[in-house]
Amino acid sequence: MVTKGNPGDNRNNKGPMSIFIVVALCGFFYILGLWQRSGFGKGDSIAVEITKHTDCSVLSDLNYETHHDGDAGTVDDSNEQVKEFKPCDDRFIDYTPCHDQARAMTFPRENMNYRERHCPPEEEKLHCLIAAPGGYATPFPWPKSRDYVPYANAPYKSLTVEKAVQNWIQYEGNVFRFPGGGTQFPQGADAYINQLAAVIPLDNGMVRTALDTGCGVASWGAYLFKKNVIAMSIAPRDSHEAQVQFALERGVPAIIGVLGTIMLPFPSGSFDMAHCSRCLIQWGSNGGLYMKEVDRVLRPGGYWILSGPPINWKNNFQAWQRPEEELKEEQRQIEDTAKLLCWEKKHEKGEIAIWRKALSNDECGEQETQPTICESANSDDVWYKKMENCVTPAKPSGSWKPYPERLNVVPSRITSGSVPGVTTELFEEDNRLWKKHVNAYRRVNKIIDSGRYRNVMDMNAGFGGFAAAIDSPKLWVMNVVPTISEKASLGVVFERGLIGIYHDWCEAFSTYPRTYDLIHANGVFTLYKNACNAEDILLEMDRILRPEGAVIFRDQVGVLKQVKRIAKGMRWNTKMVDHEDGPLISEKVLYAVKRYWVAGDNTTSSE
């Protein structure tokens, strides 16, 4: 029963019940440390540190009598019916619902339509838990994970044969090794990136966000981290087996995606740089449609790099085993489209060409041929929208700020009024709020930025405040802005030097299972309460979360009690705590850990 009286007295109550609660909470984190203990396939020793360093004095003032809808941490849900979710069949170990190979083959191949998102109808959705493969291991910490991936986590050797000459990936005992090579950079990614840095300012923080189309195993993005540049790598499902899966296992941002018939799930003017290294995209076809889509997502003043065919075709057509005239025409189309887009060629040497997008429309001057301008008033409304063969007008853009300075500077999209209803004061208050929230998270889970979590997702990112507050070279954050959000704020996220994507959480995310170490879900279930089933969202979270991965939910207490009940049937362990401002706040925080279990193993103990 809720205690009546002075709330301040309740918060400072040091009676037997408070002591019991503190002991129970410390015990929870002791168990969490045990789950994530050392041993191949059973987590790692880093996570045990949460047990050693949890400061129980910080938690001693928690009052679980919330005065709002029951208790935040001590209600016994054992009498409430809990639905137990069974493991899916083992054939679904690497299931990607919206990029399922069998479903894809039923769609047209024209313009890569069949490689785009095609999600299952409601009656075909799986309502079971995706198992990890036998022997699954916690990935190595960054930067070792860049070079080594446990074989058991993605047991597919075809790339080691297909790309053996190009030095993409090698199989060595019980691990894959990634030497940093690529089709267009046989001397290694570092040497290739240094070539680009001779033209593009990669060393002073001015170029921060990048898009890599047709990324392979994402070595370009992996090695760009050395220069504090973060790349969103995309590649289609199964063009080469498990390439996006390998990228994420390495700790590199990546999604399953393709330039096909629909717009990329990013706002206009997002990326500082875009890249294609033998990505097999027909850039000159369809009237330059795909180059126009790159132009849409490229910031004014951004760079586009194309390496491989047809660049320098005169010297390479025989080695590429392609007709000379075909390559000549392909390059002509690319050059003509670049001119139409008012891109200036800054460099061409060997098989590398670099263009720069104009800083403003005024730079372009008069041209004989004028592009068709897109009529859409909202260039950020891209979810399942068809690509149009037109040029998206550039939004007003302030001067480029270097990273990390731009992380906390008020973005020009806000100061110019491009995001309706968002003021400088609102942005700055959001920034302060998330610093406070993340400090509270760190007091509870002290391994957040220890290196244990590399791939982090924020399911409802807003302005990217969580990612900005948790910023660390040891991790990166995929900032997801739901398509049903009131404010299309993803452009603000990118302008801060962060990366993200639009997504509808009523559908599966464009990634493989077990690709995120930590998921942050702020208000997600309140946002979607009238849109789709909470159970479906949680099952999708379970699919993309690694064994022994963690989730932080922030929502209203009644919503979190429902989430907690569903999570109990999903082999997750949970603990709810009060808002950092005290028990009178109806918003609570629910911490969860997904237990370790693998295919064919119905036990979930951490023995």
Side-chain angles (χ1 to χ4, degrees), residues 142-143 146-147 177-181 185 188-191 193 218-229 231 250 252:
W142 183 267
R146 184 195 67 191
D147 302 327
R177 186 169 76 86
F178 297 84
F185 32 99
D190 276 334
I193 289 168
S219 287
W220 187 70
Y223 281 80
L224 275 174
F225 274 110
K226 286 185 176 182
K227 295 188 177 293
N228 211 11
V229 176
R250 297 175 73 183
V252 182

Side-chain angles (χ1 to χ4, degrees), residues 93-400:
I93 279 176
D94 289 322
Y95 183 51
T96 54
C98 297
H99 300 273
D100 179 62
Q101 185 75 349
R103 182 177 293 102
M105 299 310 292
T106 67
F107 288 87
R109 297 201 170 207
E110 184 181 3
N111 293 328
M112 298 294 284
N113 177 281
Y114 75 118
R115 292 291 187 199
E116 295 181 309
R117 287 177 60 85
H118 300 291
C119 300
E122 187 65 35
E123 63 272 15
E124 292 182 22
K125 286 183 179 179
L126 299 181
H127 293 278
C128 51
L129 304 177
I130 304 293
Y136 177 85
T138 300
F140 299 109
W142 183 267
K144 185 177 180 180
S145 67
R146 184 195 67 191
D147 302 327
Y148 296 95
V149 166
Y151 170 75
N153 291 13
Y156 308 111
K157 297 182 183 178
S158 63
L159 279 180
T160 65
V161 177
E162 291 179 32
K163 301 295 179 181
V165 177
Q166 293 154 15
N167 221 20
W168 276 26
I169 178 173
Q170 297 172 358
Y171 174 64
E172 298 179 354
N174 62 352
V175 298
F176 288 110
R177 186 169 76 86
F178 297 84
T183 311
Q184 285 303 126
F185 32 99
Q187 304 305 313
D190 276 334
Y192 176 78
I193 289 168
N194 286 335
Q195 282 183 275
L196 304 181
V199 182
I200 303 171
L202 297 180
D203 295 301
N204 61 5
M206 295 304 290
V207 171
R208 164 65 177 174
T209 58
L211 174 68
D212 191 14
T213 51
C215 65
V217 293
S219 287
W220 187 70
Y223 281 80
L224 275 174
F225 274 110
K226 286 185 176 182
K227 295 188 177 293
N228 211 11
V229 176
I230 185 167
M232 176 77 79
S233 298
I234 66 174
R237 173 78 157 92
D238 287 337
S239 282
H240 293 302
E241 193 171 31
Q243 54 186 338
V244 168
Q245 189 174 24
F246 279 129
L248 286 154
E249 284 293 329
R250 297 175 73 183
V252 182
I255 57 167
I256 302 171
V258 67
L259 278 164
T261 67
I262 60 174
M263 292 180 175
L264 293 173
F266 313 114
S268 59
S270 303
F271 295 95
D272 304 332
M273 175 171 62
H275 174 258
C276 160
S277 172
R278 279 210 183 187
C279 60
L280 305 180
I281 294 171
Q282 299 299 310
W283 293 111
S285 64
N286 297 324
L289 179 66
Y290 298 146
M291 289 179 67
K292 291 171 184 173
E293 178 64 359
V294 169
D295 181 79
R296 183 186 69 80
V297 301
L298 205 58
R299 289 183 73 186
Y303 297 86
W304 186 55
I305 305 148
L306 176 60
S307 65
I311 305 301
N312 200 12
W313 58 269
K314 291 179 182 178
N315 295 324
N316 293 296
F317 72 92
Q318 290 180 327
W320 292 336
Q321 298 181 339
R322 288 182 58 189
E324 186 175 1
E325 287 301 315
E326 178 183 291
L327 288 162
K328 179 181 179 180
E329 175 60 17
E330 189 176 327
Q331 176 137 6
R332 184 197 65 77
Q333 291 174 345
I334 290 171
E335 299 284 1
D336 287 351
T337 303
K339 184 178 179 181
L340 185 72
L341 295 169
C342 203
W343 291 1
E344 179 188 0
K345 182 177 276 189
K346 306 293 289 187
H347 171 87
E348 183 173 336
K349 185 177 180 181
E351 296 178 19
I352 300 175
I354 301 174
W355 287 265
R356 191 180 190 202
K357 179 178 176 177
L359 276 166
S360 69
N361 296 329
D362 297 336
E363 285 189 9
C364 206
E366 294 296 326
Q367 296 187 117
E368 287 186 20
T369 306
Q370 293 293 322
T372 302
I373 304 300
C374 299
E375 295 180 357
S376 173
N378 185 2
S379 57
D380 292 352
D381 182 17
V382 298
W383 188 245
Y384 286 124
K385 295 295 190 299
K386 291 286 184 182
M387 282 187 204
E388 296 182 66
N389 210 320
C390 54
V391 176
T392 302
K395 290 186 175 181
S397 178
S399 59
W400 284 34

